[in-house]
């Protein structure tokens, strides 16, 4: 009861999450690519271009003419520490909660997505990269991860494994959206999916996993949650909603007028100033849920209370994919700037009908996906926390023979679990010592011709400048003692 009161109390003040719909239809057939689509994001001055999809603040670069496609972005080594941290946390959570790793193909039969995500959705209608391959098969680049995992679950007879079957992935997704901050045409998601668990505790645990992933990375997360019930409940609600908006049609923006016929639930997502007040007065789906659906939702909320995952109820959260039933949720940072305020870090929900819809036995399922680029953007605000520790030892070589020996020694040191800096391209000792200095290593090992002959190596203490000669076969225990 207390929860229900809470839900009602929140009804009036909920914010709606806007999914900006690209303006033009963009189903690709390779031969008919419109010329305008080939223009780069930033009109370049000759010879001085920013790479497409570059971050604000990146220096313009000279280029050879070819660039990444509009809305696509190179992920460069300079940001690897953030991606490593994110993946590292995801892998630990996956292992602890017993999720197996799955990777499905990037290309699938296009029907997989039309049948699961839904024909009337923005993703299928406007954003999917669809084309005929050389065998004239109609294929699509993966726009989201769930459908492929469901296909694999059915195809590999995972219905016959002990349930629940739990899988996770990280993969790139392609959506031909209008590029803007935090919205790319290729993005990456980490996704977790659970098959064969009908209990609300599965939903609660998944929400808690995503919450932990984000908060362990230092992001203060806001969880927004709603229930959209089962299709019959939703159908009755949509009738009510459509009736409500029809009566106010003349006040709606042009996009919403179209949504009224095609996908009325998406009216709740509109951020146009004229439409917002209408939404505040709109009927709310929670009032159209059956008793079992309400009970399911209440139990989930109680599980979240037990898990101490804070959430807010968002009666207008409907999500942009058709396969959901019952629970839907999204994750936002509490510290969003105005530009990214509408960008969810992740989202998910229950999809109890999808396995059957794609040809499997009826199987309850639930999952979430988080956007890796958007999370990395958050992490980049705290670079010091993710800076990689430099090595404590540097290995310098002098002469070709020493370089060969250094190759081998590096391998041995690596096998002993030591991190050692080196630069095989530099030939002068001074240049190598400069690098060692910059890396602030404690010791530099110097291997020259004489040491090669003697089977020794020089160990230079970088702070005092003192040097010792050590038997090269004893260098590992020597260093281990020093470090
Ligand atoms: P989604 O909400 O479409 O859900 O995407 C999940 C997350 O991917 C978003 O919250 C966002 O962080 C990120 N994302 C989506 N589109 C873009 C883009 N164009 N650029 C950058 N990031 C983006 C799904 O895809 C569902 N498959 C999630 C799910 C898994 N539901 C159940 N299981």
């Amino acid at each position: 009861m207390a929860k229900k009161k809470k839900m009602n109390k929140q009804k009036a003040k909920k914010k709606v999450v806007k999914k900006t719909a690209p303006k033009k239809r963009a189903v690709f057939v390779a031969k008919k690519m419109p010329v305008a689509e080939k223009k780069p994001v930033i009109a370049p001055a000759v010879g001085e271009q920013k790479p497409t999809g570059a971050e604000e603040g990146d220096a313009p670069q000279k280029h050879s003419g070819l660039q990444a496609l509009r809305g696509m972005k190179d992920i460069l080594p300079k940001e690897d520490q953030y991606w490593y941290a994110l993946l590292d946390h995801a892998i630990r959570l996956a292992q602890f909660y017993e999720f197996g790793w799955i990777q499905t193909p990037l290309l699938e039969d296009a029907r997989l997505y039309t049948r699961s995500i839904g024909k009337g959705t923005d993703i299928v209608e406007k954003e999917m990269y669809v084309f005929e391959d050389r065998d004239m098969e109609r294929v699509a680049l993966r726009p989201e991860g769930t459908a492929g995992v469901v296909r694999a679950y059915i195809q590999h007879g995972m219905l016959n494994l002990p349930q629940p079957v739990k899988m996770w992935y990280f993969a790139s997704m392609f959506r031909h959206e209008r590029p803007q901050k935090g919205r790319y045409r290729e993005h990456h998601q980490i996704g977790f999916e659970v098959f064969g668990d009908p209990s609300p505790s599965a939903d609660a645990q998944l929400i808690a996993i995503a919450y932990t992933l984000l908060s362990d990375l230092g992001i203060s997360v806001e969880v927004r949650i709603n229930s959209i019930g089962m299709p019959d409940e939703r159908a009755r609600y949509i009738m009510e909603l459509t009736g409500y908006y029809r009566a106010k049609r003349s006040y709606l923006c042009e996009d919403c007028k179209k949504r009224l016929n095609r996908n009325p639930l998406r009216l709740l997502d509109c951020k146009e100033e004229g439409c917002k007040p209408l939404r505040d007065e709109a009927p709310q789906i929670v009032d159209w849920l059956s008793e079992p659906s309400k009970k399911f939702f209440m139990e989930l909320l109680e599980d979240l209370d037990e898990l101490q995952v804070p959430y807010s109820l968002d009666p207008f959260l409907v999500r942009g994919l058709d396969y959901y039933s019952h629970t839907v949720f999204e994750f936002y940072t509490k510290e969003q700037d105005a530009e990214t305020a509408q960008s969810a870090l992740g989202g998910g929900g229950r999809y109890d009908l999808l396995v059957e819809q794609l040809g499997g036995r009826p199987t309850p399922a639930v999952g979430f996906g988080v956007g890796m680029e958007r999370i990395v953007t958050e992490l980049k605000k705290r670079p010091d926390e993710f800076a990689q520790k430099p090595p404590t030892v540097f290995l310098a070589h002098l002469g070709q023979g020493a370089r060969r020996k250094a190759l081998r020694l590096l391998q041995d040191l690596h096998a002993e679990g030591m991190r050692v800096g080196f630069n095989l391209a530099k030939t002068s000792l001074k240049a190598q010592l400069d690098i060692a200095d910059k890396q602030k290593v404690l010791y530099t090992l110097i291997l020259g011709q004489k040491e090669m002959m003697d089977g020794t190596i020089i160990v230079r203490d970088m702070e005092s400048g003192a040097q010792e000669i050590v038997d090269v076969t004893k260098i590992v225990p020597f260093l281990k003692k020093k470090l």
Side-chain angles (χ1 to χ4, degrees):
M1 259 337 264
K3 286 279 150 43
K4 178 148 190 219
K5 260 191 214 154
K6 198 170 167 191
M7 284 164 66
N8 289 335
K9 228 167 76 187
Q10 303 235 6
K11 276 180 188 175
K13 37 181 169 153
K14 279 299 136 216
K15 286 186 220 147
V16 160
V17 178
K18 184 184 174 189
K19 304 276 181 293
T20 316
K23 295 235 166 13
K24 58 193 163 197
R25 189 180 159 81
V27 173
F28 278 150
V29 176
K31 287 172 260 172
K32 291 187 185 162
M33 175 89 82
V35 175
E37 295 299 341
K38 293 180 179 167
K39 280 189 195 156
V41 162
I42 304 152
V46 178
E48 278 279 288
Q49 277 189 337
K50 239 183 188 178
T52 310
E55 295 287 304
E56 283 316 306
D58 281 359
Q61 310 217 331
K62 292 226 160 34
H63 73 101
S64 61
L66 285 174
Q67 291 194 30
L69 295 174
R70 183 173 186 218
M72 311 239 171
K73 171 172 147 35
D74 298 310
I75 299 165
L76 299 172
K78 67 180 179 183
E79 53 185 291
D80 63 8
Q81 67 269 35
Y82 306 106
W83 292 81
Y84 289 165
L86 173 53
L87 278 170
D88 184 55
H89 276 72
I91 291 170
R92 280 170 208 244
L93 283 164
Q95 285 175 334
F96 181 82
Y97 288 99
E98 300 177 320
F99 282 72
W101 181 61
I102 182 165
Q103 204 69 357
T104 59
L106 173 58
L107 270 187
E108 296 267 8
D109 185 322
R111 289 171 299 182
L112 173 65
Y113 299 116
T114 36
R115 282 186 200 165
S116 54
I117 301 169
K119 275 195 184 130
T121 57
D122 282 353
I123 296 181
V124 166
E125 207 171 72
K126 304 179 189 162
E127 298 165 4
M128 208 153 67
Y129 283 81
V130 185
F131 57 94
E132 280 179 357
D133 71 4
R134 288 168 189 271
D135 303 322
M136 307 305 276
E137 305 267 12
R138 210 164 167 270
V139 295
L141 289 181
R142 174 178 50 221
E144 64 92 48
T146 309
V149 176
V150 172
R151 190 225 6 92
Y153 176 83
I154 300 167
Q155 183 177 334
H156 300 285
M158 291 189 228
L159 318 118
N160 302 316
L161 297 176
Q163 307 291 305
V165 170
K166 302 192 278 186
M167 293 183 267
W168 83 285
Y169 50 86
F170 59 95
S172 54
M173 314 288 164
F174 294 81
R175 298 181 189 176
H176 193 269
E177 299 190 73
R178 194 158 47 86
Q180 50 187 284
K181 195 176 178 200
R183 198 171 289 279
Y184 306 104
R185 290 183 175 173
E186 181 191 16
H187 75 276
H188 297 75
Q189 283 185 31
I190 290 173
F192 280 59
E193 315 283 355
V194 175
F195 295 87
D197 187 342
S199 76
S201 302
D203 309 37
Q205 193 171 58
L206 277 167
I207 293 170
I209 291 173
Y211 180 79
T212 307
L213 174 65
L214 298 168
S215 41
D216 278 2
L217 286 164
I219 300 172
S220 48
V221 197
E222 190 191 329
V223 183
R224 298 184 197 166
I225 187 165
N226 192 21
S227 171
I228 54 168
M230 290 300 272
D232 53 334
E233 298 156 31
R234 207 154 53 239
R236 285 196 290 275
Y237 169 67
I238 288 172
M239 267 173 58
E240 181 73 15
L241 189 72
T242 314
Y244 167 82
Y245 273 112
R246 282 237 159 86
K248 299 179 166 47
R249 196 173 188 281
S250 55
Y251 302 105
L252 291 174
C253 71
E254 285 312 305
D255 274 349
C256 279
K257 282 181 185 151
K258 285 182 204 146
R259 288 181 189 130
L260 198 49
N261 297 325
R262 284 202 214 134
N263 198 345
L265 280 182
R266 304 302 292 171
L267 284 157
L268 300 173
D269 265 350
C270 186
K271 263 286 173 173
E272 288 295 322
E273 283 308 315
C275 298
K276 266 200 273 183
L278 298 182
R279 195 226 26 229
D280 290 343
E281 297 300 315
Q284 297 186 358
I285 194 156
V286 69
D287 298 323
W288 298 84
L289 296 183
S290 65
E291 281 312 312
S293 291
K294 276 187 197 158
K295 185 167 174 285
F296 185 95
F297 194 39
M298 292 305 164
E299 280 180 29
L300 160 61
L301 298 182
E302 278 160 26
D303 283 349
L304 288 177
D305 289 340
E306 181 65 32
L307 287 163
Q308 299 192 330
V309 173
Y311 55 83
S312 59
L313 299 166
D314 184 344
F316 301 119
L317 178 63
V318 287
R319 308 265 305 135
L321 304 107
D322 278 358
Y323 51 62
Y324 293 115
S325 50
H326 290 300
T327 322
V328 286
F329 50 85
E330 281 180 342
F331 305 97
Y332 290 82
T333 105
K334 288 183 186 158
E335 294 144 13
Q336 277 164 333
D337 50 71
E339 248 185 297
T340 52
Q342 297 314 315
S343 307
L345 292 178
R350 189 160 266 284
Y351 46 96
D352 284 348
L353 305 172
L354 186 57
V355 178
E356 189 180 10
Q357 221 168 291
L358 293 179
R361 277 204 305 260
T363 308
V366 52
F368 74 79
V370 290
M372 295 180 77
E373 281 79 0
R374 291 185 189 175
I375 296 173
V376 165
T377 301
E378 290 303 312
L379 304 187
K380 281 182 179 171
K381 293 176 185 166
R382 292 173 285 118
D384 294 346
E385 286 177 40
F386 298 94
Q388 273 168 30
K389 284 200 188 89
T392 44
V393 178
F394 189 90
L395 174 58
H397 65 279
L398 214 57
Q400 198 189 337
R403 190 174 63 200
R404 180 161 304 137
K405 187 78 188 155
L407 271 179
R408 177 58 207 264
L409 191 54
L410 280 169
Q411 213 172 36
D412 295 346
L413 292 168
H414 169 76
E416 292 291 334
M418 303 185 70
R419 262 195 73 207
V420 181
F422 62 92
N423 189 326
L424 296 175
K426 298 273 185 250
T427 46
S428 95
L429 183 61
K430 181 174 180 315
Q432 294 180 69
L433 287 177
D434 282 350
I435 299 170
D437 246 352
K438 273 199 196 120
Q439 291 189 347
K440 296 195 170 68
V441 298
L442 298 177
Y443 299 98
T444 297
L445 313 179
I446 304 168
L447 197 58
Q449 290 304 110
K450 178 165 186 316
E451 290 73 34
M452 284 268 300
M453 310 283 273
D454 298 350
T456 57
I457 193 161
I458 298 171
V459 180
R460 182 186 172 94
D461 183 321
M462 295 299 279
E463 207 182 293
S464 65
Q467 298 197 161
E468 275 182 78
I469 296 174
V470 179
D471 178 346
V472 74
T473 59
K474 307 230 166 74
I475 189 63
V476 171
F478 179 86
L479 285 173
K480 281 195 171 165
K481 219 160 122 192
K482 289 257 183 201
L483 297 171

